[in-house]
Amino acid sequence: MEKAFIQTPLGIAKIEGDEDGLSAITVLDTSEEITKIIPEALEDAMYQLQEYFEGQRKVFDLELNPEGTDFQRRVWEALLNIPFGKTVSYLELSKTLGDVKAIRAVAAANGKNPLWIIVPCHRVIGSDGSLTGYAGGLHRKKWLLEHESPVKQQSLF
């Protein structure tokens, strides 16, 4: 398993994977030394993340290989269908998966998503529009949603 640390506007991200695909991307609250030579298996992920943060990429095209239960994988697959700049509620996501009563299990699987940004769990919000739990911190979720928003907030002054 290869790994690399890259700088993002939201902190240092750790990328993990191999020739079979990406297994994890996490944002860290600690400081790590930025990787100077990116392993070949992780180069595309690094470039695509850079393009995303520069506003040049809305869809990722990467081989994914996260570890999880069959149910978690179904939830993560459903997350990939949420378009850039859009959000869905946990209830809507549960309905998409065919079981409105599974809302808590869906939320738990969402919280275990190992592929930060690539599998866009940040696009799932509360039914009332609130920014509910996010493993990377609500300040990062807010930043990501604003970054993807088609309507940019402008200053009045």
Side-chain angles (χ1 to χ4, degrees), residues 40-58:
E40 185 177 341
L42 306 178
E43 284 178 347
D44 279 347
M46 185 204 65
Y47 290 127
Q48 290 188 35
L49 282 168
Q50 283 178 335
E51 290 172 343
Y52 169 85
F53 284 115
E54 291 169 356
Q56 299 171 0
R57 177 171 289 278
K58 295 181 179 183

Side-chain angles (χ1 to χ4, degrees), residues 8-59:
T8 77
L10 295 172
I12 295 173
K14 180 169 100 173
I15 305 172
E16 298 175 271
D18 56 27
E19 62 278 348
D20 293 327
L22 292 176
S23 57
I25 299 177
T26 51
V27 64
L28 307 174
D29 286 320
T30 60
S31 62
E32 296 287 338
E33 188 171 326
I34 302 301
T35 305
K36 291 179 180 34
I37 300 174
I38 304 295
E40 185 177 341
L42 306 178
E43 284 178 347
D44 279 347
M46 185 204 65
Y47 290 127
Q48 290 188 35
L49 282 168
Q50 283 178 335
E51 290 172 343
Y52 169 85
F53 284 115
E54 291 169 356
Q56 299 171 0
R57 177 171 289 278
K58 295 181 179 183
V59 177

Side-chain angles (χ1 to χ4, degrees), residues 60-79:
F60 292 95
D61 181 23
L62 297 164
E63 191 67 39
L64 306 180
N65 190 24
E67 286 189 29
T69 66
D70 288 343
F71 180 77
Q72 287 172 331
R73 288 175 175 266
R74 278 187 55 227
V75 172
W76 301 336
E77 192 69 34
L79 293 172

Side-chain angles (χ1 to χ4, degrees), residues 11-12 21 25 56-57 63 81 84 118 128 131 142 152:
I12 295 173
I25 299 177
Q56 299 171 0
R57 177 171 289 278
E63 191 67 39
N81 294 319
F84 182 93
I118 306 296
D128 62 358
L131 298 184
K142 181 176 187 265
K152 302 296 181 199

